[in-house]
Amino acid sequence: MANLMALHTAILNGDLKAAVAATKEALAEQVDPLDLVQNHMVPAMDEVGRRFECEEYFVPELLLSARAMKGSLELIRPLLAAQGAEPVGRVVIGTVKGDLHDIGKNLVSSLLEGGGFEVIDLGSDVAPEKFAQAVQERDANIVCLSALLTVTMPAMKTTIQALKDAGVRERIKVLIGGAPVTQQYADEIGADGYGQNATVAVQLARRLGSR
Ligand code: B12
């Protein structure tokens, strides 16, 4: 039977090779990819964050764990995305300006693709005007903003302003998320929805933004 604890440990220890091997083993044994992500990999990253907070881990350890997580996700993403069918809407997604965290954003992106959305992923550290430009050029109807730092959360508000300035705010839905983000913050800055994880992101996108 697949050793799922080994996957958790590999991410925690920043061991890319072990993480990839454990992921391959689990997938070969038909473990549900979403279960792997939500119940084993994300909790490992949460523990990495906790250790960083209490100074047991420093930036090099964060980077190694992130690399291990990404290595596993590379194997899992195509499987998550393959679960979809007809495009039900077009999403522009990115991590806001000043913020380089992209693991959660990539997961949301994959699950949206799996949920049948066409996804235009602008990457991380994305300027507000770039979001507005992408919406105009690609005729998107949903914008997803991710932020992991309290200092970059205000860039979500600036991005919504840029969407207003470009005259596209009224015809799109803006969804926001990321560890420090809350429903209260979404209400404060006038976003249309907040989701605490990638599954909720898809539910929200379906409810608010399906064409
Ligand atoms: C990995 C990591 C890094 C990696 C990022 C690698 C990468 N390519 O992403 C590196 C090493 C680069 C990094 C750097 C930094 N980091 Co960092 N990092 C983390 C860590 C440990 C994990 C983040 C992660 O990937 N989680 C796993 C994913 C799956 O979860 P998630 O991102 O939250 O996404 C989920 C949900 O939030 C939601 N979601 C996400 N986006 C969206 C969008 C929408 C629309 C919706 C609906 C939902 C949604 O769905 C996702 C999937 O379920 C967190 C700790 C933590 N627990 O969050 C710290 C953390 C975010 N980092 C932190 C800090 C301080 C930094 C640095 C400033 C450190 C430094 N001194 O240099 C730099 C900042 C660099 C920058 N400018 O961005 C702090 C932030 C504190 C704060 N409140 O501001 C944290 C919380 C650690 C801590 N506890 O102190 N980091």
Side-chain angles (χ1 to χ4, degrees):
M1 212 182 96
N3 184 355
L4 300 180
M5 198 58 211
L7 177 57
H8 184 279
T9 310
I11 291 175
L12 200 53
N13 293 340
D15 186 339
L16 171 66
K17 245 174 130 179
V20 166
T23 308
K24 281 185 178 160
E25 193 188 323
L27 293 177
E29 292 186 23
Q30 315 293 328
V31 179
D32 177 19
L34 195 55
D35 171 48
L36 274 187
V37 174
Q38 289 187 331
N39 298 325
H40 302 279
M41 295 161 65
V42 170
M45 287 307 278
D46 284 344
E47 176 59 15
V48 171
R50 194 198 63 75
R51 291 185 183 190
F52 180 69
E53 220 162 327
C54 61
E55 299 189 348
E56 278 173 49
Y57 272 17
F58 297 93
V59 173
E61 284 86 4
L62 280 196
L63 277 172
L64 287 174
S65 290
R67 196 178 62 141
M69 174 91 176
K70 281 190 156 185
S72 294
L73 274 180
E74 260 167 45
L75 299 169
I76 293 174
R77 276 187 76 166
L79 302 175
L80 295 177
Q83 289 167 1
E86 281 294 286
V88 291
R90 193 171 293 144
V91 181
V92 165
I93 189 169
T95 307
V96 295
K97 192 171 169 58
D99 201 322
L100 300 175
H101 296 85
D102 66 356
I103 295 174
K105 183 267 297 168
N106 291 344
L107 258 178
V108 172
S109 179
S110 298
L111 284 207
L112 282 170
E113 278 176 5
F117 288 87
E118 184 185 334
V119 178
I120 299 133
D121 190 338
L122 303 179
S124 56
D125 189 18
V126 181
E129 306 71 39
K130 257 190 129 181
F131 280 104
Q133 194 187 346
V135 168
Q136 281 170 322
E137 286 176 3
R138 307 294 297 272
D139 188 28
N141 60 320
I142 302 177
V143 172
C144 285
L145 306 176
S146 182
L148 266 285
L149 298 171
T150 38
V151 289
T152 57
M153 282 167 64
M156 293 179 145
K157 190 176 177 189
T158 323
T159 303
I160 291 179
Q161 187 56 49
L163 293 167
K164 284 183 187 159
D165 293 345
V168 296
R169 177 68 185 97
E170 296 307 315
R171 64 173 171 85
I172 54 163
K173 299 292 179 192
V174 178
L175 311 183
I176 65 170
V181 180
T182 59
Q183 179 63 53
Q184 192 191 339
Y185 188 67
D187 296 340
E188 246 174 70
I189 65 169
D192 299 297
Y194 155 75
Q196 68 272 36
N197 60 44
T199 320
V200 176
V202 178
Q203 289 164 358
L204 271 176
R206 283 224 169 102
R207 185 153 52 82
L208 299 172
S210 289
R211 277 186 164 147

